[in-house]
Amino acid sequence: MATIEQIHELRHATSTSELPADARDVTKPGAMNARTKPMILTEAMGNKPYLWNPVFNRGTAFSEQERKDRNLEGLLPPVVESIELQSARVMEQIRDEQEPLEKFIILNALQSTNEALFYHVVIKNLEELAPVIYTPTVGEACQKYDRIFRQPLGMYFSAFRHKGRFYEVMRNWPSHNVQIIVVTDGGRILGLGDLGTNGMGIPVGKIGLYVAGGGFHPDHSLPAQLDCGTDNQQLLDDKFYLGEKAKRLTGEEHMEVVAEFCEAAHHCFPNCLIQFEDFQTSQAFDILDKMRDNYLCFNDDIQGTGGVVTAGIINGLKAQGTEVKDAKVLFYGAGSSAVGVANMICSLLQKEGGLSEKDAKQHIHMIDSKGLVTTHRGDELPAHKKIFACGDDIPDMKDLTEIVKYIKPHAVVGLTGGGEAWDKEMIEEMCKHVEKPLVFPLSNPTSQAEITAENAYKFSKGKCIFAAGSPFAPVEYEGKKLVPGQANNVFIFPGVGFGSVMIKAKTVTDDMFIAAARGLADYVSKEQIQKGNIYPDISDLRNISAVVAAAVANAAYDTNNSQLTQKPKDMLAYIKSKMWVPGKSEIDNAVHDSITNHQIDQDVKEARQP
């Protein structure tokens, strides 16, 4: 039996700076020595602990020889099944359930027990399952996360118990080479508010899409939850709540926690990408401003939403026949997502419309709970709202239809999270000024959208170009089948992340997001655009992500923002060659055994003794 000292040595691997180069190279996923010693020992030993580990477990897909080699005989049903047959069984279980949350629970359990099968199922059924593992179902899952909790996925960093030790805690993750981290503090989950550690469903769901849709290797992907407390009294009073029963940290205390997390991640995994998710609006901007030049990071609510909406605007203007320089966009909502989108569209108007920054900003207008955002309406505006506040030449207005009549926008973008608010009069007013108005109710989940697809088509007499943040079913209007678009960030963030990591970008820049938006927009054919389809089909997500990633990588390299010594000749082929596929990117068992047994042969022999 291993001594206490030997166990301690196995648990505490060498620092990342002392590891072989391939163990730390984010462009070479799947290296065996990127795994920590406890993981290597578990794999070498086999037996029941091997089946308990979701990274290694393949269930009934283990061959007869693998069962002998891994001491698994008798621990599994005798039949040997293909991963396709296993997948068919899972899909039958999922389709037998009527409630989306029950489908989510099945997939969550599968991810906790058999990672390869989970991703095979999701990749092969992406269009059907993306709304289950992410929006809209993840919203309900987060609200009930402490109730449906079975197995931990990802890592929790407590501002109350781990502060000052984040690096030490992060080293418990079973890989030396993390490519992607999605982190939230649960402060503003979708349109549902402060959900504290119940927000963990968001990083878990997003990592699922980074892997399934973007090609990241699951071994190198980390969902993370910062527990900074919660101001949600219902959660504080709930005996099942999984976080600290403490009020939410704010100001410098909160920023110190985020800063320590980022530094720990950079120290542990020097070339990983950190994606911030669902922080409260004011904190989200402050965090991004402080971190974006020091770490490879971005905020999907601010920048990812900006990229996907900009792509929709590009194609929507094509469908309208509107020049980019003439486009006017009205935002219903003025939070972090809205300002992020507005910034991206402002950059588009400058780069492709030839406008100055000042003129570009005059094409963008915002509405908040007090009406049209202006510099002269009498209230103190937070910094992020001042960027696009109208000047003295625009009157104060509160009525939505009146504002539409005055602005005459080509597009209206909803990002309030407040539910239905756009009525018949407003849509009809838009149609008076543009033949095919762009109607984008982007608030998630579906129940929080500013207008339904059915009403948007009905009020516009089938003329509007519709795209929502979550999926809507096709609508029949006057004998025609109208298919709502989905301006889902999933078209952008996996590609931005994968391209940034594989090109070893130093930072994630606005130019890279504009390149991502253009790559996504160009993926849609002219014929589809003329039919009103401004976004591609989500079933093709892996190819879309590859194209977006290649565009992002090219933009990074061409602006001297890459640490690669040589640019790949064919960037798209390079990106596709790095994308993980379940069952085809695993470490060869024979090679693994020859390395592993050489390293820890004696430990394995002793551990296998009766």
Side-chain angles (χ1 to χ4, degrees):
M1 181 180 292
T3 66
I4 295 296
E5 290 76 15
Q6 289 172 323
I7 292 172
H8 187 271
E9 180 184 353
L10 285 170
R11 283 179 176 170
H12 295 275
T14 56
S15 70
T16 53
S17 60
E18 298 171 355
L19 291 167
D22 63 332
R24 294 181 285 114
D25 190 343
V26 290
T27 68
K28 296 177 180 178
M32 184 277 295
N33 54 11
R35 289 174 175 164
T36 58
K37 287 181 180 179
M39 290 288 282
I40 293 172
L41 182 60
T42 298
E43 186 167 15
M45 286 175 57
N47 206 260
K48 198 68 173 178
Y50 191 69
L51 297 179
W52 292 335
N53 191 312
V55 174
F56 304 136
N57 183 29
R58 299 294 179 267
T60 54
F62 283 121
S63 68
E64 294 281 2
Q65 190 60 48
E66 286 171 327
R67 298 180 192 207
K68 290 178 182 178
D69 293 343
R70 299 294 182 199
N71 293 337
L72 301 177
E73 290 182 296
L75 300 179
L76 292 163
V79 67
V80 175
E81 296 180 316
S82 68
I83 197 169
E84 288 77 17
L85 183 58
Q86 289 179 312
S87 180
R89 178 184 291 113
V90 173
M91 288 308 299
E92 185 171 302
Q93 293 168 357
I94 289 171
R95 288 166 180 158
D96 281 346
E97 296 292 344
Q98 299 301 313
E99 295 299 322
L101 185 61
E102 294 302 320
K103 300 174 189 283
F104 176 94
I105 290 171
I106 290 173
L107 286 169
N108 192 257
L110 180 61
Q111 190 176 9
S112 303
T113 55
N114 189 332
E115 211 169 56
L117 179 56
F118 168 79
Y119 283 113
H120 184 274
V121 168
V122 174
I123 289 170
K124 295 298 182 181
N125 303 275
L126 195 53
E127 187 171 13
E128 182 177 351
L129 297 183
V132 177
I133 64 173
Y134 204 59
T135 58
T137 308
V138 75
E140 182 183 1
C142 285
Q143 290 177 306
K144 300 175 180 177
Y145 206 76
D146 49 6
R147 291 297 198 278
I148 63 174
F149 179 81
R150 285 167 171 75
Q151 294 272 6
L153 292 167
M155 293 195 78
Y156 293 81
F157 296 84
S158 171
F160 308 96
R161 305 181 188 210
H162 304 145
K163 193 172 187 296
R165 300 191 299 114
F166 280 7
Y167 173 68
E168 177 188 342
V169 172
M170 196 171 289
R171 290 185 66 194
N172 288 331
W173 190 246
S175 173
H176 295 306
N177 184 8
V178 167
Q179 298 171 315
I180 175 73
I181 298 174
V182 178
V183 60
T184 187
D185 70 346
R188 188 190 61 82
I189 297 298
L190 302 175
L192 303 172
D194 182 353
L195 295 184
T197 56
N198 277 12
M200 185 54 147
I202 296 293
V204 169
K206 279 222 154 166
I207 285 294
L209 292 174
Y210 269 112
V211 174
F216 278 95
H217 196 297
D219 274 17
H220 309 306
S221 305
L222 171 56
Q225 171 76 47
L226 296 179
D227 184 5
C228 297
T230 179
D231 290 332
N232 187 328
Q233 194 60 46
Q234 185 177 350
L235 294 178
L236 293 173
D237 294 338
D238 188 344
K239 65 180 180 181
F240 291 118
Y241 179 58
L242 297 169
E244 195 77 26
K245 299 291 184 68
K247 288 292 186 180
R248 178 170 291 279
L249 299 181
T250 59
E252 281 303 311
E253 278 190 301
H254 183 273
M255 183 63 77
E256 286 173 7
V257 173
V258 177
E260 184 187 347
F261 176 85
C262 291
E263 188 58 28
H266 182 66
H267 191 37
C268 265
F269 317 116
N271 294 303
C272 80
L273 171 74
I274 302 171
Q275 192 235 286
F276 302 112
E277 184 71 22
D278 285 350
F279 286 77
Q280 291 179 353
T281 298
S282 59
Q283 293 172 335
F285 279 100
D286 290 344
I287 291 167
L288 184 62
D289 288 343
K290 186 167 184 175
M291 305 301 171
R292 66 181 303 177
D293 293 331
N294 299 316
Y295 305 102
L296 184 66
C297 65
F298 71 93
N299 183 302
D300 187 50
D301 301 309
I302 298 172
Q303 297 161 287
T305 304
V308 76
V309 178
T310 299
I313 292 290
I314 290 171
N315 285 343
L317 294 177
K318 289 179 185 177
Q320 288 180 348
T322 302
E323 296 288 336
V324 172
K325 64 181 178 64
D326 297 323
K328 288 185 286 186
V329 183
L330 177 63
F331 286 86
Y332 187 73
S336 60
S337 295
V339 175
V341 175
N343 278 324
M344 200 74 65
I345 293 173
C346 187
S347 295
L348 177 73
L349 293 172
Q350 294 172 71
K351 287 179 177 293
E352 300 193 12
L355 301 181
S356 67
E357 182 180 0
K358 179 181 178 181
D359 289 341
K361 286 181 176 178
Q362 291 177 352
H363 285 238
I364 296 170
H365 306 271
M366 292 192 161
I367 300 172
D368 64 9
S369 59
K370 297 177 181 177
L372 189 65
V373 178
T374 69
T375 57
H376 54 85
R377 69 182 187 183
D379 59 326
E380 180 63 31
L381 296 176
H384 67 275
K385 290 186 182 181
K386 292 178 181 178
I387 301 171
F388 295 101
C390 300
D392 295 339
D393 55 324
I394 304 291
D396 284 332
M397 290 178 280
K398 292 186 177 181
D399 183 75
L400 183 55
T401 302
E402 180 185 350
I403 294 170
V404 168
K405 185 176 182 179
Y406 185 90
I407 301 297
K408 299 179 175 60
H410 296 86
V412 60
V413 180
L415 286 161
T416 61
E420 290 195 46
W422 298 349
D423 58 18
K424 181 179 180 182
E425 288 71 25
M426 175 221 160
I427 299 298
E428 288 179 341
E429 187 61 43
M430 282 196 74
C431 292
K432 293 178 182 178
H433 310 295
V434 58
E435 184 179 355
K436 297 179 179 179
L438 308 185
V439 179
F440 292 178
L442 303 183
S443 293
N444 290 316
T446 308
S447 60
Q448 302 302 111
E450 287 76 11
I451 191 171
T452 65
E454 182 179 5
N455 282 341
Y457 288 129
K458 182 170 66 175
F459 298 159
S460 67
K461 298 181 179 176
K463 295 179 181 179
C464 78
I465 296 173
F466 180 93
S470 292
F472 276 90
V475 174
E476 291 285 338
Y477 181 80
E478 294 187 351
K480 292 171 60 177
K481 183 179 181 181
L482 302 174
V483 181
Q486 189 178 354
N488 194 319
N489 291 23
V490 75
F491 288 129
I492 288 287
F493 68 75
V496 169
F498 199 70
S500 299
V501 169
M502 290 305 152
I503 202 68
K504 286 190 174 179
K506 302 168 192 173
T507 60
V508 182
T509 64
D510 289 342
D511 284 343
M512 291 160 70
F513 270 101
I514 290 291
R518 174 53 71 182
L520 174 59
D522 290 346
Y523 194 88
V524 185
S525 68
K526 292 181 180 179
E527 293 75 18
Q528 288 299 313
I529 292 171
Q530 289 307 311
K531 293 178 182 178
N533 300 323
I534 57 175
Y535 289 105
D537 194 319
I538 197 171
S539 63
D540 203 21
L541 182 57
R542 282 177 75 89
N543 284 328
I544 297 165
S545 295
V547 169
V548 171
V552 167
N554 277 319
Y557 197 94
D558 293 345
T559 54
N560 298 314
N561 188 32
S562 168
Q563 298 177 75
L564 283 189
T565 55
Q566 187 174 358
K567 184 178 182 179
K569 292 181 180 179
D570 185 337
M571 190 65 80
L572 182 59
Y574 168 75
I575 290 294
K576 287 187 173 182
S577 73
K578 300 294 183 179
M579 296 177 80
W580 178 77
V581 178
K584 293 186 179 180
S585 303
E586 306 304 315
I587 301 163
D588 182 79
N589 281 336
V591 174
H592 175 273
D593 280 346
S594 67
I595 298 171
T596 299
N597 292 339
H598 173 71
Q599 290 180 333
I600 53 176
D601 183 60
Q602 188 58 40
D603 291 306
V604 172
K605 286 181 179 178
E606 290 182 5
R608 284 180 171 176
Q609 292 300 314

